[in-house]
Amino acid sequence: MLTLGQIMTADPMTIGPETTLRDAVEFLSSQRISGVPVVSGGGRILGVVSASDILAFTASLPGMPGDRDDDGWELREASLEDDPYEDSFTGYWEDAGADVVARMQAHGQPEWDLLDEHTVAEIMTRRLHAMAPETGLADAAAHMVQAGIHRLLVVERNRLVGVVSAMDFVKAIARQAATV
């Protein structure tokens, strides 16, 4: 029987609660991960922050269209070639149509400045889901499904020793299938 300790990422990367959301986005992106434990300076686990948490926070913010001289509306005759959705929104932002990554890297944009003004502590998930390294994968998977989570913290003697993500389960199943 496989255990969490056998498939976990040992000594996982962590961030502190004072990390700005901008730095958290850059960290998650550069490490190609979707979430990370948040720990205090003393190593105490405080929570987990995920890309979903940051996205939900960003989605809750009011829109920030750029300055306009007019009311933004223009009457014109529609044709079959028109995309009714495209023109509805592109006039609000100077960089409309730009690659999403390019927009996020444009530090002067209002959306980005808001990420720099808020910290991980404000949005992190504080309800921790943790299990021991010797926990079997079936029990861990059942807990993850029931809780609707994508990662589990692996804890031993109240110390973070690893993280197991849904992708770790996929890799374990693929390895097991390759040996059969």
Side-chain angles (χ1 to χ4, degrees), residues 24-75:
V25 167
E26 289 175 359
F27 180 78
L28 293 173
S29 178
S30 70
Q31 299 301 315
R32 296 178 167 238
I33 56 176
S34 62
V36 63
V38 180
V39 298
S40 69
R44 189 172 75 103
I45 307 166
L46 303 173
V48 174
V49 68
S50 69
S52 297
D53 295 329
I54 297 169
L55 185 59
F57 171 78
T58 305
S60 72
L61 298 173
M64 302 184 82
D67 294 333
R68 297 182 61 100
D69 292 335
D70 61 2
D71 64 6
W73 296 100
E74 175 185 329
L75 292 176

Side-chain angles (χ1 to χ4, degrees), residues 2 5 15-16 18 20 27-28 46 49 53 72 91 106 109 111-112 128 132 136 138 144 148 154 159 163 174 179:
L2 283 177
I15 59 175
E18 72 289 342
T20 67
F27 180 78
L28 293 173
L46 303 173
V49 68
D53 295 329
Q109 297 300 319
E111 298 93 333
W112 191 258
L128 300 175
M144 289 174 72
V154 183
R159 190 175 72 81
V163 173
T179 62

Side-chain angles (χ1 to χ4, degrees), residues 111-127:
E111 298 93 333
W112 191 258
D113 290 341
L114 285 174
L115 292 180
D116 208 21
E117 294 174 10
H118 296 276
T119 65
V120 166
E122 296 174 56
I123 68 160
M124 68 184 179
T125 301
R126 295 175 191 277
R127 184 167 183 218

Side-chain angles (χ1 to χ4, degrees), residues 73-157:
W73 296 100
E74 175 185 329
L75 292 176
R76 65 182 176 95
E77 191 172 319
S79 72
L80 292 176
E81 291 83 32
D82 287 343
D83 179 351
Y85 303 106
E86 178 182 334
D87 290 337
S88 300
F89 301 103
T90 56
Y92 285 115
W93 293 276
E94 293 175 15
D95 61 351
D99 178 74
V100 172
V101 173
R103 286 190 72 201
M104 293 299 285
Q105 291 174 343
H107 296 253
Q109 297 300 319
E111 298 93 333
W112 191 258
D113 290 341
L114 285 174
L115 292 180
D116 208 21
E117 294 174 10
H118 296 276
T119 65
V120 166
E122 296 174 56
I123 68 160
M124 68 184 179
T125 301
R126 295 175 191 277
R127 184 167 183 218
L128 300 175
H129 293 271
M131 294 187 153
E134 53 277 353
T135 304
L137 295 191
D139 290 338
H143 178 78
M144 289 174 72
V145 168
Q146 180 191 20
I149 57 175
H150 298 129
R151 71 196 49 77
L152 271 174
L153 302 178
V154 183
V155 176
E156 194 168 46
R157 293 184 207 99

